[in-house]
Amino acid sequence: MGSRFPSHQLSNGLYVSGRPEQPKERTPTMSSTAMPYTGGDIKKSGELGKMFDIPVDGSKSRKSGPISNAPSRTGSFTGTASHSGPMMPNAAARASYSTSGPVSSGISGSASVKKSNSGPLNKHGEPLKKSSGPQSGGVTPSARQHSGPMPPVLPATGLITSGPISSGPLNASGAPRKVSGPLDSKGSLKVHGSSVANNQAVTTLSQDDDYSFKRNFPRPVLWSMILLFVMGFIAGGFILGAVRNAILLIVVVVLFVIVAALFTWNTCWGRKAIIDFIARYPDAELRTAKDGQYVKVSGVVTCGNVPLESSFQKVPRCVYTSTSLYEYRGWESKAANPTHRRFTWGLRSSESHVVDFYISDFQSGLRALVKTGYGARVTPYVEESVVVDVNPLNKELSSDFIRWLAERNLSSDDRVMRLKEGYIKEGSTVSVMGVVQRNDNVLMIVPPPEPFTTGCQWTKCILPASLEGIVLRCEDASKVDVIPV
């Protein structure tokens, strides 16, 4: 039956008016497996866990591979892929995707797919190179992938540290520095044994740094006085023989006895007089101290980056350690050193070390860095206590003392010995004399450029003495309670 209105028959046999609709081109669809619920566990997240070297749960991990069972379609499209794993049917459509394997058996026609490796892309759209280990040299973590953990970029904290930048626990890029040796409970490297001599942060003191009246007295004045007395004795003897007058000789002898007694007095009591001078010297307040002012500061000690350990007693977290071995020389005994006289105690071995530390001022509460490490000039006045006493009545040596002697290649053959040890540990109260230095709001106490003179103490018959470098004064730390810090 003809009609001027067009009509067509549907698939179910019904005739409807109008022209049949042209089949529309379907949008290309891709499918993938649904992401499993991880519950916050990175081990169940598949490729994300692999990027950070975290073991992945094998039962729920996904493997990268070719795309299978994708619906066939016609037409043309261009996309950039971003998918890792097999492609399955009946999934949501995506306009752009990526695969970590070849695309197979599912895309026909003029489809053009751009392959790329799984992982982040750089600004040019190229995959990033993977590198193993921490990166430095100004490369940010977002620019590279690492197979190991990334060190955190630490912000500047303003913490005052002693020594150069390379002496801290982190390097210039913020990564932990590799160190050898045991660490103490607070993460600082303990310095002891043979490593002390090779550590630039540790100042090794010698006997020349201790007080001695003979070394302290000016040599030109000493030789001038000797020359004058020699000339006086010659002139007095000549006058006594020529004119039988002994007045000049008697005067010279009296003056010589007075000078000799004065020298002997200062040799015996000079150290004690200097300790009394340090105790009487007024404490300064760091808050009002000017740059370049010579001050005395008393306060509580806090360790810096490199704490020390005492040689014999193994006292941890010290800023100053000193161990001395003395021997008594009888009539037939061996000398401890070339200048050891009979019936006296002589020094056989001595080792003293000091490092940079902090002091909290009692007057103002401010904290200052005391620069006593890195070869600085230091004059210590630290009391030592006897820890081992070997005499004719007690010749039994402890195992610790025998080990200590063996480490220093010292013999123990029937000698009368005495071991003394002194130290300044964290929490001790000390007095420090030095020059204040302010640098960008950093408060430090540094050695003075010239020795500090104590002046004459006429009431005690003490001649002037020179104090070189930073002066450290501390009583016997083993008998004084420390302040917890």
Side-chain angles (χ1 to χ4, degrees):
M1 172 175 71
S3 173
R4 59 176 183 173
F5 298 102
S7 62
H8 65 280
Q9 186 178 10
L10 300 178
S11 59
N12 55 3
L14 180 66
Y15 285 90
V16 294
S17 62
R19 298 182 182 276
E21 294 182 357
Q22 296 294 330
K24 296 182 179 179
E25 182 179 359
R26 294 181 60 187
T27 303
T29 59
M30 300 297 295
S31 61
S32 62
T33 58
M35 291 297 295
Y37 176 70
T38 63
D41 189 0
I42 196 172
K43 295 182 179 180
K44 301 179 181 179
S45 59
E47 295 296 329
L48 180 60
K50 293 181 180 180
M51 294 174 61
F52 294 95
D53 289 345
I54 297 175
V56 182
D57 190 358
S59 61
K60 296 184 180 181
S61 62
R62 295 184 300 154
K63 298 182 180 180
S64 301
I67 303 175
S68 61
N69 300 328
S72 173
R73 61 196 177 277
T74 60
S76 63
F77 72 95
T78 301
T80 302
S82 178
H83 177 77
S84 179
M87 299 296 293
M88 304 300 292
N90 301 326
R94 293 184 181 178
S96 64
Y97 60 94
S98 122
T99 66
S100 59
V103 181
S104 62
S105 66
I107 303 178
S108 61
S110 60
S112 175
V113 180
K114 182 178 180 181
K115 292 192 300 180
S116 68
N117 296 327
S118 62
L121 302 177
N122 58 13
K123 62 182 180 179
H124 301 292
E126 299 176 354
L128 296 177
K129 296 181 179 179
K130 292 185 179 181
S131 59
S132 177
Q135 300 291 328
S136 60
V139 180
T140 60
S142 61
R144 292 187 182 180
Q145 278 187 337
H146 305 276
S147 61
M150 286 291 296
V153 180
L154 301 178
T157 59
L159 178 64
I160 304 173
T161 58
S162 59
I165 296 177
S166 60
S167 64
L170 301 178
N171 57 19
S173 62
R177 184 177 302 280
K178 294 182 179 180
V179 294
S180 300
L183 298 177
D184 63 0
S185 59
K186 295 188 178 180
S188 301
L189 178 65
K190 291 193 295 187
V191 180
H192 55 81
S194 60
S195 61
V196 173
N198 301 326
N199 197 321
Q200 297 180 355
V202 181
T203 300
T204 301
L205 305 178
S206 63
Q207 290 298 313
D208 295 336
D209 298 310
D210 293 336
Y211 172 80
S212 175
F213 177 76
K214 297 179 181 179
R215 293 192 298 265
N216 200 277
F217 194 81
R219 291 300 179 92
V221 178
L222 178 63
W223 288 110
S224 299
M225 295 180 63
I226 293 176
L227 181 60
L228 289 176
F229 278 114
V230 170
M231 294 176 60
F233 279 114
I234 293 175
F238 179 77
I239 293 175
L240 178 62
V243 296
R244 304 294 180 179
N245 191 347
I247 296 178
L248 181 60
L249 184 60
I250 294 174
V251 172
V252 173
V253 170
V254 171
L255 291 177
F256 178 79
V257 171
I258 294 175
V259 172
L262 186 62
F263 274 55
T264 304
W265 177 265
N266 281 265
T267 302
C268 297
W269 300 99
R271 178 182 175 88
K272 187 177 184 304
I274 292 180
I275 293 176
D276 294 339
F277 172 82
I278 297 174
R280 293 194 312 268
Y281 198 86
D283 292 331
E285 186 175 351
L286 289 177
R287 192 183 306 276
T288 59
K290 299 180 181 179
D291 192 14
Q293 179 182 351
Y294 191 85
V295 297
K296 171 195 169 185
V297 179
S298 297
V300 180
V301 168
T302 307
C303 290
N305 290 338
V306 185
L308 299 176
E309 185 181 68
S310 62
S311 175
F312 182 75
Q313 301 181 78
K314 303 299 182 183
V315 179
R317 299 197 64 79
C318 298
V319 300
Y320 170 86
T321 59
S322 174
T323 307
S324 303
L325 178 64
Y326 297 89
E327 289 185 0
Y328 183 80
R329 184 185 183 187
W331 182 256
E332 297 180 354
S333 302
K334 298 179 181 180
N337 54 68
T339 60
H340 190 192
R341 297 185 300 271
R342 287 182 172 85
F343 306 108
T344 58
W345 287 92
L347 181 64
R348 186 181 181 186
S349 175
S350 177
E351 51 187 46
S352 300
H353 307 285
V354 64
V355 293
D356 291 350
F357 63 93
Y358 297 95
I359 183 171
S360 299
D361 181 23
F362 283 150
Q363 300 289 333
S364 60
L366 294 180
R367 190 180 185 214
L369 174 64
V370 183
K371 299 292 292 182
T372 51
Y374 296 93
R377 182 69 174 174
V378 180
T379 302
Y381 290 94
V382 181
E383 301 295 334
E384 296 180 344
S385 60
V386 178
V387 292
V388 176
D389 192 4
V390 181
N391 51 49
L393 301 178
N394 181 22
K395 291 187 177 181
E396 295 182 1
L397 303 180
S398 64
S399 59
D400 294 337
F401 185 56
I402 295 176
R403 175 188 52 79
W404 188 89
L405 291 175
E407 290 175 353
R408 288 151 184 81
N409 296 325
L410 300 175
S411 60
S412 57
D413 46 351
D414 296 334
R415 299 185 183 215
V416 179
M417 295 177 289
R418 181 174 293 172
L419 183 66
K420 292 185 177 182
E421 190 169 57
Y423 51 84
I424 301 176
K425 60 182 177 180
E426 191 173 51
S428 302
T429 301
V430 300
S431 296
V432 177
M433 299 180 70
V435 174
V436 175
Q437 180 176 336
R438 299 180 183 271
N439 186 11
D440 296 335
N441 295 328
V442 177
L443 185 60
M444 295 185 294
I445 299 179
V446 299
E450 298 293 336
F452 182 76
T453 304
T454 61
C456 291
Q457 303 181 42
W458 299 109
T459 57
K460 297 183 178 181
C461 299
I462 299 297
L463 298 177
S466 298
L467 303 178
E468 298 184 1
I470 293 181
V471 179
L472 289 180
R473 169 61 185 149
C474 181
E475 298 180 358
D476 189 359
S478 61
K479 300 179 181 178
V480 179
D481 295 335
V482 300
I483 300 176
V485 293

